[in-house]
Amino acid sequence: MKKVELLAPAGSLAKLKTAIFFGADAVYCGGLNFGLRAGADNFTIAELKAGIEFAHQKDKKVYMTLNMIPHNQELAKLPDYLNQIKELQLDALIISDPGVLSLVKKSMPEMEIHISTQANNVNWAAALFWAEQGADRIILARELGKTEINEITAKTKNQAEIEVFVHGAMCISYSGRCLLSNYLVGRDANKGDCAQSCRWQYHLVEAKRPGEYYPIVENEQGTFIMNSRDLNLAEEIPELIEAGVSSLKIEGRMKSIHYTATVVNTYRQLIDGYYADPAHYQPDPDLLAELTKISHRDYTKGFYYGKPGSDGQRYQSSSYVRSYDFMGVIRDYDLKKAEILVEVRNKIFTGDQLEIITPGRKSFTIRVDYLIDQASDQQIETAPHPKQLVRIPAPDFIKPGSLLRRIKEDQ
């Protein structure tokens, strides 16, 4: 059985390295043009080259998004952009528009092609159509249930790989095609500039009664009628693998390094746990709990078990659940002193209990018995400055690149 790919988001070069460090088999990222995450840091040509070299040294892959739906004036710029990226040794391009596919095939005939979820891939005939046009992989729409996924993988076997989203934000639109943001604030979601208008607070007001609000849902904050919960299919990993899905995709190019590390590390261990003993596999509850420690909205299974209906939305608030703070990155481990060198992100105090996120292991806790400022070599009570380097005792070896977090005080 070919092992399923774990595909992670890379909104920046640092996030690319984090995803690979924590166990991703491949990452997807966007260049400065033609992607659908205009708000992400995205990659210059030089950064793409550096990221690809880093990934290939680790025997991992890099896919780049060209899944914007371009108008004529934008399409005219595509040939020059393709000339810039054709020597980069990308492993695949993610495309949604037939015109873009046609130009890519002419300019880069050997390039592997993945058809974006933006192309609304909801049936096996569409998947086979794209395969006939030279696509190597089809990224399915998130509006599909497990029976539909099973039928698509069965009928496309040996024709094209199938990729499925398993974790991350859901969109109120149909597979990402939405005009609400464009209509309300002139920001086009189909060109990567979504304002997430669906998550705003809305009230019902009668034209001749300004200021008199009629609640759609009894809530003093208004209503969040289009505020989808986040997707979480961690428990469905065995079914997806057995269905013949080739790649399990995590959403979140605009999320934090802490999000990337935690989600990738969790799915990596769950996938590996399944392959270690498929017949007796049960998802580890401790690993599933890790997914509640990142910034997220309440979770849903999406369309996997049928149309979610009202249970797929969160009506009380559009805010995230944030139960932990990201505290720092471990830059080194001193075996002789049994200390970690930490680059601070949030204020650390002597006496803190910090959780460690490290590749291939469940998170575990250490106590900050003392803090030593690296620059002055003096003991301090608190490390208040972002990017400050401090030393903290750690009895066991902890891999550099691991992260620290702390439960919020109000939890």
Side-chain angles (χ1 to χ4, degrees):
M1 185 188 301
K2 183 181 177 182
K3 198 168 188 178
V4 74
E5 175 187 85
L6 177 58
L7 177 57
S12 66
L13 186 56
K15 292 173 188 176
L16 179 150
K17 292 180 177 180
T18 297
I20 289 173
F21 179 72
F22 280 91
D25 298 306
V27 297
Y28 63 101
C29 60
L32 297 180
N33 300 290
F34 298 100
L36 282 179
R37 287 295 183 272
D41 291 338
N42 292 318
F43 286 68
T44 64
I45 297 297
E47 288 170 333
L48 277 170
K49 184 176 181 181
I52 293 165
E53 288 177 354
F54 177 85
H56 288 179
Q57 287 171 2
K58 308 289 184 183
D59 199 26
K60 308 300 182 183
K61 296 181 178 181
V62 178
Y63 310 143
M64 195 179 86
T65 59
L66 283 179
N67 56 344
M68 173 181 163
I69 302 171
H71 288 242
N72 290 336
Q73 63 270 26
E74 290 128 3
L75 195 65
K77 302 173 185 177
L78 182 58
D80 285 343
Y81 192 60
L82 294 178
N83 284 332
Q84 293 180 58
I85 67 173
K86 65 168 41 175
E87 305 300 329
L88 289 178
Q89 297 185 311
L90 285 157
D91 295 288
L93 292 175
I94 302 171
I95 294 170
S96 60
D97 181 77
V100 173
L101 174 60
S102 175
L103 291 177
V104 168
K105 280 294 184 182
K106 291 175 183 176
S107 176
M108 307 165 71
E110 302 303 318
M111 177 58 65
E112 183 170 314
I113 302 297
H114 298 177
I115 299 300
S116 171
T117 187
Q118 199 80 2
N120 311 122
N121 303 302
V122 296
N123 62 69
W124 59 266
L128 289 176
F129 166 82
W130 286 115
E132 290 168 0
Q133 309 314 307
D136 302 281
R137 177 183 294 184
I138 315 300
I139 307 168
L140 296 187
R142 276 168 275 198
E143 295 83 10
L144 294 175
K146 66 175 182 177
T147 302
E148 294 174 296
I149 294 171
N150 288 346
E151 185 174 3
I152 291 170
T153 56
K155 292 193 175 183
T156 57
K157 192 174 183 180
N158 301 323
Q159 303 295 313
E161 294 182 343
I162 297 298
E163 180 177 304
V164 172
F165 279 93
V166 292
H167 200 94
M170 296 281 281
C171 185
I172 196 65
S173 72
Y174 199 88
S175 297
R177 293 199 176 204
C178 182
L179 291 174
L180 185 63
S181 171
N182 204 342
Y183 175 74
L184 291 176
V185 292
R187 290 173 53 180
D188 194 341
N190 298 309
K191 295 180 182 178
D193 201 24
C194 180
Q196 295 200 354
S197 311
C198 56
R199 300 191 188 278
W200 297 352
Q201 297 182 18
Y202 290 93
H203 295 272
L204 179 65
V205 181
E206 201 277 323
K208 296 182 180 179
R209 294 175 174 82
E212 187 175 338
Y213 301 126
Y214 298 86
I216 302 171
V217 175
E218 294 284 347
N219 186 315
E220 68 278 5
Q221 297 179 4
T223 185
F224 298 85
I225 56 174
M226 298 176 285
N227 182 46
S228 177
R229 295 170 183 255
D230 283 357
L231 182 66
N232 180 346
L233 294 181
E235 294 179 274
E236 282 64 44
I237 286 173
E239 290 185 352
L240 290 166
I241 293 174
E242 289 160 14
V245 170
S246 297
S247 182
L248 303 180
K249 186 173 194 171
I250 298 165
E251 183 276 338
R253 276 189 283 154
M254 295 176 65
K255 300 292 180 65
S256 68
I257 285 176
H258 174 229
Y259 172 95
T260 302
T262 303
V263 178
V264 171
N265 198 36
T266 299
Y267 275 86
R268 175 77 280 152
Q269 292 179 77
L270 290 169
I271 290 167
D272 291 348
Y274 167 80
Y275 281 102
D277 190 3
H280 303 96
Y281 172 80
Q282 292 292 327
D284 188 325
D286 292 337
L287 288 175
L288 296 177
E290 285 290 293
L291 298 174
T292 67
K293 297 179 180 182
I294 55 171
S295 177
H296 69 285
R297 300 179 185 91
D298 293 337
Y299 285 126
T300 176
K301 302 291 185 184
F303 290 75
Y304 192 74
Y305 292 109
K307 292 182 180 180
S310 59
D311 290 340
Q313 311 297 314
R314 188 180 184 216
Y315 298 102
Q316 293 74 31
S317 169
S318 62
S319 62
Y320 289 90
V321 179
R322 292 184 173 95
S323 55
Y324 280 75
D325 287 322
F326 173 35
M327 304 306 296
V329 181
I330 296 171
R331 294 303 184 195
D332 199 7
Y333 182 85
D334 189 322
L335 188 62
K336 191 174 292 185
K337 294 181 179 179
E339 292 175 342
I340 50 175
L341 180 65
V342 176
E343 184 180 307
V344 175
R345 289 293 189 273
N346 280 296
K347 188 182 292 186
I348 299 175
F349 296 90
T350 301
D352 275 349
Q353 300 282 341
L354 301 180
E355 283 192 16
I356 307 291
I357 315 160
T358 195
R361 293 179 61 181
K362 295 181 187 179
S363 60
F364 58 94
T365 302
I366 63 169
R367 187 178 188 276
V368 183
D369 291 324
Y370 61 80
L371 278 167
I372 297 176
D373 178 65
Q374 178 74 350
S376 65
D377 201 32
Q378 298 296 311
Q379 192 161 327
I380 54 179
E381 288 300 310
T382 180
H385 306 299
K387 298 299 182 87
Q388 181 179 2
L389 293 174
V390 295
R391 304 201 305 270
I392 298 173
D396 299 318
F397 173 76
I398 301 171
K399 199 171 182 180
S402 300
L403 307 185
L404 298 101
R405 66 182 171 215
R406 181 182 63 205
I407 193 167
K408 284 182 175 288
E409 293 180 358
D410 57 353
Q411 297 300 310

